[in-house]
Amino acid sequence: MSRHVAQRLPPLAAWLLHGAPRVTACSRTNGCIAEPGTHAAGGHAARVAAERQLSSLAAGPSSPSSAPPGRKLNLCNAINEALATALDSDPRACVFGEDVSFGGVFRCTVGLADRFGGARVFNTPLCEQGIVGFGIGLAASGHTAVAEIQFADYIFPAFDQLVNEAAKYRYRSGGMYDCGGLTVRTPFGAVGHGGHYHSQSPEAFFTHVPGLKVVIPSTPSDAKGLLLAAIRDPDPVVFFEPKMLYRTAVGVVPEDDFEVPIGKARVVSAGIDVTLVGWGPQVQVLQAAAQKAQTENGVSCEVIDLRTLMPWDVDTVCESVGKTGRLVVSHEAPQTGGFGAEIIATVARRCFLRLESPPLRVAGADTPFPLVFEPLYLPSLQRVMRAIRQTVKF
């Protein structure tokens, strides 16, 4: 059966406005642990300070012309531009995978073979284990290997290569050898009609493996900057691309060569009542929920796009929860064993004395990904809103 998705991606309900910079009320050096008896006063002071800063942010930036020059791209084109930049700047870089020479299923590699030649951008057999194994050997010999797995649902035949070979290559050789030049790109998540073989979110599997980094962008600018950072990172990286956003996410992307730091979260919008954490396509849902909660309930939510799951930005999340006292984590993957549990466990340890209610998860169901029941499976706006109301009313 063909793995190609013939239909175009359905549009999301809306592309929501970007939020203000982060407002912090908790020291990075001290984490979010408060001494007994100090929470009430410290929380009130932090809330007042945050309210004042939010008021000043509402007026917008003082010098909008200071933004870096760029042009509007969708996420798919931003990925293509990042790959072209990597190939242009590194003569030892290669891009390969199923159908990549003609542009791939989602057209992310279109034009690259014509520009850089078939020796550097080429098709592979339909064999995920072989694709990643070849990438490991290429990277170990000093090349920059950018492998594409056509759908994240099919990355599992390559699981052994990633977990037992790529992740351990440097460690088992005592640092003599490594395959840090390996980046594995793969589209993941719901697409509106993909069913159980074209919709899965397997990112949590790889966060459990020391030696691998896991990166997930949600905007075109981050897609370009994070992919360039992943390609040049000294460790092997699994780079998950939210296919629902390939053409629905549009934003200004700097034209120059730039990197977004791996391991640093992005505060999408500031808030003082509830912290909402997500990644990939779920960031849009959290933005919509934050706007709806503010409009309908007067609840101010701080939205954080994690961007990197391994290593993840513990400090930014804990600073936010130290201010709001409430946390909702949302992801498309099934709830049990999802990465949201790791976030909540860490927050519960570091921010326990500042929590106003138990942290909550809004996630996919513990079932195979359905087809016609996809709207019921996904962590929707309505489900996130219920979690926000629940944590505020606790």
Side-chain angles (χ1 to χ4, degrees), residues 309-325:
L309 269 61
M310 185 54 61
W312 67 283
D313 192 348
V314 177
D315 288 340
T316 294
V317 173
C318 286
E319 285 176 4
S320 178
V321 176
K323 174 180 59 179
T324 65

Side-chain angles (χ1 to χ4, degrees), residues 150-346:
Q150 199 168 85
F151 288 88
D153 309 67
Y154 298 109
I155 202 170
F156 298 111
F159 195 77
D160 178 66
Q161 289 292 320
L162 285 165
V163 170
N164 279 331
E165 303 298 338
K168 298 175 174 63
Y169 208 90
R170 178 184 286 112
Y171 183 83
R172 71 176 185 171
S173 69
M176 294 178 62
Y177 308 103
D178 69 84
C179 58
L182 173 67
T183 301
V184 178
R185 299 176 42 248
T186 186
F188 87 112
V191 70
H193 53 254
H196 48 283
Y197 286 138
H198 296 84
S199 307
Q200 296 176 81
S201 298
E203 65 271 17
F205 287 103
F206 300 97
T207 63
H208 192 66
V209 183
L212 293 179
K213 292 183 179 178
V214 179
V215 179
I216 304 177
S218 69
T219 69
S221 181
D222 279 352
K224 179 179 178 180
L226 285 169
L227 182 53
L228 284 170
I231 291 171
R232 296 161 178 168
D233 195 86
D235 294 306
V237 178
V238 183
F239 192 90
F240 288 97
E241 300 168 6
K243 56 182 175 283
M244 178 68 89
L245 303 185
Y246 270 145
R247 287 168 178 80
T248 59
V250 178
V252 176
V253 179
E255 295 183 25
D256 56 349
D257 184 339
F258 73 100
E259 298 179 19
V260 173
I262 290 177
K264 182 62 181 174
R266 175 175 68 100
V267 178
V268 181
S269 58
I272 56 177
D273 295 318
V274 182
T275 298
L276 306 179
V277 177
W279 50 89
Q282 202 59 20
V283 175
Q284 284 194 12
V285 179
L286 297 182
Q287 287 180 267
Q291 190 176 52
K292 188 177 180 69
Q294 181 67 61
T295 302
E296 297 184 1
N297 305 107
V299 176
S300 173
C301 296
E302 183 150 292
V303 179
I304 296 177
D305 177 3
L306 209 56
R307 300 199 292 195
T308 304
L309 269 61
M310 185 54 61
W312 67 283
D313 192 348
V314 177
D315 288 340
T316 294
V317 173
C318 286
E319 285 176 4
S320 178
V321 176
K323 174 180 59 179
T324 65
R326 301 175 180 89
L327 172 65
V328 175
V329 182
S330 187
H331 53 73
E332 286 188 8
Q335 177 167 295
T336 301
F339 195 70
E342 175 67 25
I343 296 171
I344 287 176
T346 301

Side-chain angles (χ1 to χ4, degrees), residues 94-139:
C94 297
V95 175
F96 53 92
E98 298 164 18
D99 305 323
V100 300
S101 66
F102 75 82
V105 171
F106 296 102
R107 315 304 289 162
C108 289
T109 56
V110 68
L112 297 180
D114 292 337
R115 179 176 173 185
F116 297 100
R120 300 183 65 199
V121 181
F122 50 89
N123 293 336
T124 65
L126 197 157
C127 178
E128 290 79 9
Q129 184 178 17
I131 293 170
V132 174
F134 172 76
I136 292 171
L138 199 64

